[in-house]
Amino acid sequence: MRKNLREDKGSFKFSWLLLGLLMLIITCTGWSQENRSFKIFQFPADKIPSVDGEPLDWDMVPESYAVGMDELWEDSGKHSAANPDNLDVKVKVGWVKGMSRLYFLYEAYDDYWDFSLPGLQNDTFEVIVDGDQSGGPFIDRFHPNRELDSMDAFFSFHGVHAQNYHIFTPAQGKEWTMVWGSQPWIKELPYANAAYNYDFKPGESGKLILEFWITPFDYAGNDPARAVESLLKENKNIGLSWAIIDYDDVQKMANNGFWNLSEEHTMYGNASYALPFTLMPLEPEFREELKADWSHKILNMNRRQVAFYDESEGEVTSWNWNFGDENTSEEQNPVHIYKKRGKYVVVLKITGPEGEARHSKVWDVVLK
């Protein structure tokens, strides 16, 4: 009797082990896209691209940053493989250190451009962005509370922690994008801008160049006063994905293909299916061999306690801080207490194999 009981327990454990293994295989298969990651090019501060529809500013961006048709899949089953005679798309993404902007260069050839109607039927570049990789659904019909009123879900949830830009390619007699959510203000200056370059008419073939930038938000509701922009910094990952919706007949409402960067069709409303894009440092040819830089934070105004942070670039072997009050430090990231109130000129000098560099800030440190 005990032997049979042990056998039953063993069989039960083995069944659960098999089930767990099966679930793991399914999960890994469904999330194989996690093996893919992409790069966002950092533009030097003196080479910020102009949004004018001319791609010359992007010539400095290596092709290793380009995402082409080989990374997309047609998830409606209408095409077994990409055909450049039908549709050929390449996308590059950029950023600038210190700015909350994502720059895009979209280059596309299509054998039939559909953009004559005023509504949604329009060749489309649909972009989702999740600036802090919070993940999860972000459109009203995917709200986990099924009892919530649809309009309440729209205003409190739709597009709030991740955003969807339904960009018309090209936009003729209409806004350049439909923001799928309750925050249409994010598609306008000072939060976004776009420019096109093309010479074809509806129904014709040709190449389109679309240049635009958007601002990613960790929180973007109906009221822009409450919005929180995403923090963009080097080596941080953000969530991005896109799809190209290709119409080939103005008389038909059905599209001729939904080309998706994500492996999940519903990425358009679920940020968990976005892919990681890394905000890259400057490419070597744009970096200074040795550059001194620093920032600070007042830890306690009453005690006049200030933390200083070295943000120098290059190989640094020594640091020399002059706090402007006849005190110095050779620490990389010192904390200093000032004895008197005042406005201070703080200087950081660094040395390394490439030489010396200095960076001063006049009256940035002000204590009362």
Side-chain angles (χ1 to χ4, degrees), residues 306-310 321 323 329 331-336:
V306 185
F308 293 91
Y309 306 98
D310 170 49
W321 294 85
F323 300 118
S329 173
E331 296 180 36
Q332 182 179 3
N333 300 299
V335 174
H336 181 62

Coordinates of all heavy atoms in Angstrom, one line a residue, residues 306-310 321 323 329 331-336:
V306 N 27.4 69.5 -0.3 CA 27.3 69.3 -1.8 C 28.1 68.1 -2.2 O 29.2 67.9 -1.9 CB 27.8 70.5 -2.5 CG1 27.5 70.4 -4.0 CG2 27.2 71.8 -2.0
A307 N 27.4 67.2 -3.1 CA 28.1 66.1 -3.7 C 28.5 66.5 -5.1 O 27.7 67.1 -5.8 CB 27.1 64.9 -3.7
F308 N 29.7 66.1 -5.5 CA 30.2 66.4 -6.8 C 30.4 65.0 -7.5 O 30.9 64.1 -7.0 CB 31.5 67.2 -6.8 CG 31.3 68.6 -6.2 CD1 31.4 68.8 -4.9 CD2 31.0 69.6 -7.1 CE1 31.2 70.1 -4.4 CE2 30.8 70.9 -6.6 CZ 30.9 71.2 -5.2
Y309 N 30.0 65.0 -8.8 CA 30.1 63.8 -9.6 C 31.0 64.0 -10.8 O 30.7 64.9 -11.7 CB 28.7 63.3 -10.0 CG 27.8 63.2 -8.9 CD1 26.9 64.2 -8.6 CD2 27.8 62.1 -8.1 CE1 26.0 64.1 -7.5 CE2 26.9 61.9 -7.0 CZ 26.0 63.0 -6.7 OH 25.1 62.9 -5.6
D310 N 32.0 63.2 -11.0 CA 32.8 63.2 -12.2 C 32.1 62.6 -13.3 O 31.6 61.5 -13.3 CB 34.1 62.5 -11.9 CG 35.0 62.3 -13.1 OD1 35.2 63.2 -13.9 OD2 35.4 61.1 -13.4
W321 N 40.0 68.6 -7.6 CA 38.9 69.5 -7.4 C 39.3 70.8 -6.7 O 39.9 70.7 -5.6 CB 37.7 68.9 -6.7 CG 37.1 67.7 -7.4 CD1 37.5 66.4 -7.3 CD2 35.9 67.7 -8.2 NE1 36.7 65.6 -8.1 CE2 35.6 66.4 -8.6 CE3 35.0 68.7 -8.5 CZ2 34.6 66.0 -9.4 CZ3 33.9 68.4 -9.3 CH2 33.7 67.0 -9.7
F323 N 37.1 73.7 -4.9 CA 35.7 74.0 -4.7 C 35.4 75.5 -4.6 O 34.3 75.9 -4.4 CB 35.3 73.4 -3.3 CG 35.5 71.9 -3.3 CD1 36.3 71.2 -2.4 CD2 34.7 71.1 -4.2 CE1 36.5 69.9 -2.4 CE2 34.9 69.7 -4.2 CZ 35.7 69.1 -3.3
S329 N 40.2 68.7 -3.4 CA 40.1 67.2 -3.1 C 40.6 66.5 -4.3 O 40.6 67.0 -5.5 CB 38.6 66.8 -2.9 OG 38.4 65.4 -2.9
E331 N 39.6 63.2 -4.7 CA 38.7 62.1 -4.9 C 38.0 62.2 -6.2 O 37.9 63.3 -6.8 CB 37.7 62.0 -3.8 CG 38.2 61.8 -2.4 CD 37.1 61.8 -1.4 OE1 36.0 61.3 -1.7 OE2 37.3 62.2 -0.2
Q332 N 37.5 61.1 -6.8 CA 36.8 61.2 -8.0 C 35.4 61.8 -7.8 O 35.0 62.7 -8.7 CB 36.6 59.8 -8.7 CG 35.9 59.8 -10.0 CD 35.8 58.5 -10.6 OE1 36.2 57.5 -10.1 NE2 35.3 58.4 -11.8
N333 N 34.7 61.4 -6.8 CA 33.4 62.0 -6.5 C 33.3 62.4 -5.1 O 32.7 61.7 -4.2 CB 32.3 60.9 -6.8 CG 32.4 60.4 -8.2 OD1 32.2 61.1 -9.2 ND2 32.7 59.1 -8.4
P334 N 33.8 63.6 -4.8 CA 33.9 64.1 -3.4 C 32.5 64.7 -2.9 O 31.7 65.0 -3.7 CB 34.9 65.2 -3.4 CG 34.8 65.7 -4.8 CD 34.5 64.5 -5.7
V335 N 32.4 64.7 -1.6 CA 31.3 65.4 -0.9 C 32.0 66.5 -0.1 O 32.9 66.3 0.7 CB 30.5 64.5 0.0 CG1 29.5 65.3 0.8 CG2 29.8 63.4 -0.9
H336 N 31.5 67.8 -0.3 CA 32.2 68.9 0.4 C 31.1 69.7 1.2 O 30.0 69.9 0.7 CB 32.9 69.8 -0.7 CG 33.6 71.0 -0.1 ND1 34.6 70.8 0.8 CD2 33.4 72.3 -0.3 CE1 35.1 72.0 1.1 NE2 34.3 72.9 0.5

